[in-house]
Amino acid sequence: MKSILKLIKRFIVTMLFSLVLLVFLNLFLLILISYKQAANHGAWSTADQVASALTGKDDGTYELSAQGEEALSRTKAWAVLVDNETGSILWNSSNLPEGIPTQYSAASIATAVRGYINDYPVASSGYGDDLLLLGFPKKSYWKLMYNTFDYDLIKNMPQTILLFLSCNLLFIFFVYLIVTSGVLRSVKPVIHGIEALPADRNVYVKEKGLLSDLAVSINKAAEKLRSQDYQLKKKETARANWIAGVSHDIRTPLSMVLGYASQIEENRNVPKRDRNKARIIRQQSLRMKNLVNDLNLASKLEYNVQPLHMDTVNLVPLVRQTAVDFLNLDLEGKFPIEWAAGEDMQNCYVKADKGLLSRAVSNLITNSQVHNPDGCTLFISVGKAGETCQIAVEDNGAGVTDEELERIRKAPHYMVCDRETGNQRHGLGLMLVRQIAEVHGGGMEVSHGERGGFRVVIRLPYGN
């Protein structure tokens, strides 16, 4: 809403600025036009020019110079010289129109000087004691016959102009407010509706006013979003329930397979070849059990139904204990683990769920073991990097190609991908690690290891 008021304010300021600019532009054009007309030899200056170009001779005749003739020709004017004593014409130009009086009284001279002679606008100039009258084409000038102005009006002209401008601006401003108030009343509900669309709220805009069509569209969009949100939640709930159900149903038969396989493996009366087969069955069943557990946990993290037991956790002993647990299970010694952190690294605290972090580290160790069945050395470290703590798990095994690394980084996992594409990833281990890091406000990075293998780094916000 603040942005709308800001927009209206900007419109008002722009309007007022435009009006002021328009006034000054009009004044400038008026001055420019008036200046050009004044510079183009006005009627009175032409009369003075012709009077100065007229010369009297000893024989009582008059002669107009070439400059005077050019002035009359340029303005298409005619001229008469009126005697001061008799009012008769002493001299006239050759282009004197018909019907022009040849005798003038004081009253007719006053009328002529003030206005017109036979509808010809007249300008005058003194020639000694006599009077020179210039008549111009009938539509060349418009003269005010009674051009007298009150002195107070002239004196107060600046204030009067300012008053008129202020009244005009106020009038335009109030008209603008009246017009925009109706628009604003129609805009407000629409803006509120648009702002509410991203939020989880019921949106309804009254379908009336200038923007009723837009209100209808917003209501339809809100209804469609509600329907899509309901269907999406319904689909997510069904998928989560299905995964949880499958995970639950598969545990009993899987436990029986593990139990019988362990009995056969430990029975010395069974041939060694069969005991090896039973061992393989037990190992693969155990792997299947871990995959089912990963699938269930990944589903809970994806739909935010996994409860988090947050506490202050020291990553150093947590990661060390997880590594020791794997060393104890590696009876053949195929996967030795080296602690790469410095001896001075004793504490690195984060706010986290201890069980989930241990699960993430376990998945990284398992990932290296699964992809290097012939064995490899794991390098595990815990350290601080700025405002974060990081757990790094690296191996010197087979590693991955650049294409595989890019696919791990960008290809969506089949569990969270809703598009039919051949570029989906399988394997829940790394996905689960990323999910655990993200629910703790951190992230996961994968890269080529410095020792030729695969490297994964978990970054978590530091906090004690």
Side-chain angles (χ1 to χ4, degrees):
M1 191 60 197
K2 291 182 178 179
S3 60
I4 299 301
L5 295 177
K6 184 178 180 181
L7 183 62
I8 294 175
K9 180 179 178 181
R10 181 177 297 178
F11 281 157
I12 293 175
V13 172
T14 303
M15 180 194 68
L16 294 177
F17 176 76
S18 300
L19 290 174
V20 173
L21 186 62
L22 182 63
V23 170
F24 281 103
L25 179 62
N26 288 330
L27 288 176
F28 172 75
L29 292 176
L30 179 61
I31 293 173
L32 181 63
I33 294 173
S34 301
Y35 174 79
K36 285 187 175 180
Q37 288 183 346
N40 192 25
H41 302 290
W44 298 98
S45 61
T46 304
D48 291 337
Q49 183 180 357
V50 172
S52 62
L54 186 64
T55 305
K57 296 182 179 181
D58 295 336
D59 57 359
T61 60
Y62 296 86
E63 182 180 6
L64 186 63
S65 67
Q67 290 83 358
E69 293 289 351
E70 190 276 332
L72 291 178
S73 176
R74 184 183 67 248
T75 58
K76 299 180 180 179
W78 49 265
V80 294
L81 181 62
V82 180
D83 183 67
N84 179 49
E85 296 180 357
T86 64
S88 60
I89 294 179
L90 300 177
W91 170 87
N92 63 268
S93 61
S94 59
N95 59 343
L96 186 68
E98 295 182 1
I100 299 300
T102 58
Q103 187 71 32
Y104 294 88
S105 63
S108 61
I109 290 176
T111 302
V113 170
R114 187 173 64 182
Y116 301 84
I117 298 177
N118 291 356
D119 295 331
Y120 291 95
V122 173
S124 62
S125 179
Y127 185 81
D129 293 334
D130 301 325
L131 179 66
L132 180 70
L133 299 178
L134 255 66
F136 295 89
K138 293 183 178 181
K139 294 185 178 181
S140 58
Y141 295 102
W142 176 68
K143 298 186 67 177
L144 291 175
M145 297 291 290
Y146 307 99
N147 53 346
T148 56
F149 298 94
D150 186 80
Y151 180 77
D152 289 336
L153 177 65
I154 302 299
K155 182 178 66 174
N156 298 324
M157 186 59 67
Q159 295 91 325
T160 304
I161 294 176
L162 183 61
L163 178 63
F164 270 82
L165 289 177
S166 301
C167 292
N168 278 275
L169 290 176
L170 286 175
F171 175 76
I172 294 174
F173 176 72
F174 282 119
V175 169
Y176 178 81
L177 288 182
I178 293 172
V179 173
T180 55
S181 60
V183 177
L184 187 59
R185 283 194 296 269
S186 300
V187 168
K188 279 185 178 180
V190 172
I191 296 301
H192 287 311
I194 294 175
E195 291 177 345
L197 279 179
D200 188 16
R201 288 183 286 172
N202 291 327
V203 177
Y204 179 77
V205 181
K206 292 183 179 180
E207 300 172 357
K208 64 179 183 178
L210 297 175
L211 303 178
S212 57
D213 292 340
L214 185 57
V216 171
S217 300
I218 292 175
N219 292 334
K220 289 182 179 179
E223 180 63 29
K224 187 173 183 180
L225 288 175
R226 283 195 294 268
S227 176
Q228 290 178 345
D229 185 61
Y230 172 76
Q231 295 297 331
L232 182 61
K233 288 182 179 179
K234 185 177 179 181
K235 184 188 298 184
E236 290 177 349
T237 303
R239 182 162 60 173
N241 291 338
W242 180 82
I243 292 174
V246 171
S247 300
H248 180 270
D249 293 341
I250 205 173
R251 284 173 184 164
T252 299
L254 195 57
S255 298
M256 295 179 64
V257 172
L258 281 169
Y260 287 133
S262 296
Q263 291 179 8
I264 295 173
E265 181 183 5
E266 296 171 0
N267 190 347
R268 298 298 177 180
N269 296 324
V270 176
K272 184 177 180 180
R273 179 180 178 184
D274 293 335
R275 291 204 307 270
N276 289 335
K277 290 180 180 178
R279 177 176 59 83
I280 295 174
I281 293 173
R282 179 184 60 80
Q283 291 176 343
Q284 295 302 318
S285 298
L286 184 61
R287 183 182 178 189
M288 187 183 302
K289 180 180 179 181
N290 291 332
L291 287 174
V292 170
N293 291 335
D294 285 351
L295 180 64
N296 195 30
L297 179 58
S299 174
K300 290 181 179 180
L301 291 174
E302 177 69 21
Y303 302 120
N304 299 317
V305 294
Q306 171 66 25
L308 298 178
H309 305 286
M310 305 297 286
D311 199 1
T312 301
V313 179
N314 188 354
L315 292 181
V316 176
L318 173 68
V319 176
R320 276 179 174 170
Q321 184 59 50
T322 305
V324 169
D325 292 341
F326 271 87
L327 282 175
N328 294 334
L329 294 175
D330 184 23
L331 300 179
E332 299 179 4
K334 295 171 59 177
F335 301 98
I337 297 177
E338 293 187 10
W339 185 256
E343 293 297 330
D344 58 337
M345 177 56 65
Q346 300 295 326
N347 300 307
C348 192
Y349 292 97
V350 296
K351 287 286 186 181
D353 186 309
K354 186 176 181 180
L356 287 180
L357 285 187
S358 179
R359 182 67 173 272
V361 177
S362 298
N363 277 21
L364 293 180
I365 296 175
T366 302
N367 184 72
S368 293
Q369 293 177 344
V370 169
H371 290 88
N372 297 282
D374 296 330
C376 66
T377 301
L378 286 87
F379 304 88
I380 302 177
S381 66
V382 178
K384 296 178 181 178
E387 298 296 323
T388 64
C389 291
Q390 63 179 33
I391 305 170
V393 177
E394 181 182 347
D395 62 60
N396 61 355
V400 293
T401 64
D402 292 338
E403 292 77 10
E404 291 173 333
L405 185 63
E406 190 69 15
R407 187 166 58 88
I408 293 173
R409 288 172 174 168
K410 294 186 177 181
H413 194 275
Y414 74 91
M415 182 178 169
V416 296
C417 182
D418 58 357
R419 302 185 304 273
E420 291 293 334
T421 174
N423 195 30
Q424 297 176 357
R425 284 194 298 108
H426 295 262
L428 286 169
L430 292 179
M431 173 187 168
L432 193 58
V433 173
R434 184 182 297 278
Q435 286 179 317
I436 293 174
E438 289 176 350
V439 297
H440 288 89
M444 183 191 79
E445 298 176 3
V446 296
S447 62
H448 295 294
E450 296 178 357
R451 300 169 177 85
F454 187 62
R455 175 181 172 86
V456 181
V457 176
I458 301 174
R459 301 188 188 277
L460 301 171
Y462 180 76
N464 48 21

